[in-house]
């Protein structure tokens, strides 16, 4: 059911815009009962978010480049490039569009992505590197990239690299 | 014309949701020609953003508490409380809703708020305090607060205070 629901939701989002996708329409397009969608996801925001997180994890798994600074740099640059591209139904759009739709399950739906982040930081620690907490990475690397995009401010590799440096300095300060 | 247009836009946003507000409807409700709205704001996203920034500056001017740490702390706590409240057509909702609607004028529309921020940092420097750049305040104080809200993560005074400390430490690092 999940694959069918996600496929239907994605098609509807492309056709009608993310804000106009509803559970009954997804159910109809996917050929499943609306009740089973509500039972599994609770609301359309959670379904869309889970879809976006799954796609993000599959398309852009977090880097494993051998050092933490390389992992963070590659990740930050990829996010900057993705936010600049601004074309398709991407993770960021779903995140923004579902802010109003979604319930407290929101944080729960993000868990698979946070697990990838924890795994990346865990690999660094296993190599003997010191690594920040996942929350610090969100606060000082991911948040500024997204915020700049929302504010219409420029985003490039240099800025991404600067954020990585600041994050690693903050940790050792 | 501006006051009428903003009043009409706000009423429509409350009635129909931010995503469904259009320039022709604002014009009709305000009793002005749509062409004058397009000439002045370009698109509905810019109009809504300018409305939100004006209201934000009037309702919550940036603090002037006598020290930078007090100013930043009060501001961060206010943002955290506002994001938790999550009730009306607030700045954050407009910011998110207009991300897709708005053109490159976006950053320009935010200028009055950035001027308030620059003024607050300028007052600190005049008192002989060292103050971070406005961009750093956005990256490491404002962005994490907004991001946490978007991710459905908890926001409280303690977390706001911690961000202020990290920002001021980063500056001196």
């Amino acid at each position: 059911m999940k694959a069918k629901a996600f496929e239907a939701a994605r098609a509807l989002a492309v056709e009608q815009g993310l804000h106009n996708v509803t559970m009954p329409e997804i159910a109809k397009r996917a050929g499943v009962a609306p009740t089973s969608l509500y039972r599994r996801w609770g609301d359309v925001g959670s379904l869309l978010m889970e879809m976006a997180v799954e796609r993000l994890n599959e398309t852009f798994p977090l880097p494993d480049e051998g050092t933490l600074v390389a992992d963070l740099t590659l990740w930050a640059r990829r996010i900057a490039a993705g936010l600049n591209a601004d074309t398709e139904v991407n993770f960021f759009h779903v995140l923004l569009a579902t802010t109003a739709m979604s319930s407290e399950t929101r944080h729960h739906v993000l868990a698979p992505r946070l697990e990838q982040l924890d795994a990346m930081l865990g690999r660094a620690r296993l190599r003997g590197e010191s690594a920040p907490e996942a929350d610090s990475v969100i606060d000082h690397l991911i948040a500024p990239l997204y915020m700049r995009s929302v504010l219409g401010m420029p985003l490039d590799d240099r800025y991404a690299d600067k954020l990585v440096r600041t994050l690693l300095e903050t940790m050792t300060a």
Side-chain angles (χ1 to χ4, degrees), chain A residues 1-73:
Chain A
M1 180 183 76
K2 193 181 75 168
K4 272 187 196 163
F6 285 179
E7 199 184 313
R10 177 168 301 277
L12 288 165
V14 171
E15 286 166 25
Q16 307 177 2
L18 277 162
H19 292 282
N20 301 311
V21 178
T22 65
M23 283 295 225
E25 280 178 308
I26 297 171
K28 197 176 162 194
R29 173 84 64 120
V32 301
T35 46
S36 33
L37 297 187
Y38 286 113
R39 202 158 41 231
R40 174 148 183 178
W41 284 285
D43 56 35
V44 68
S46 298
L47 186 154
L48 291 171
M49 274 294 291
E50 192 176 314
M51 173 192 85
V53 170
E54 185 182 284
R55 170 122 155 179
L56 186 68
N57 270 349
E58 284 170 4
T59 319
F60 293 112
L62 286 193
D64 187 6
E65 298 286 303
T67 67
L68 181 61
V69 65
D71 285 351
L72 292 171
T73 302

Side-chain angles (χ1 to χ4, degrees), chain A residues 90-108:
Chain A
N90 64 27
F91 176 71
F92 185 53
H93 292 147
V94 176
L95 190 66
L96 297 187
T98 58
T99 305
M101 302 180 194
S102 205
S103 66
E104 317 81 68
T105 60
R106 190 166 188 76
H107 191 55
H108 169 74

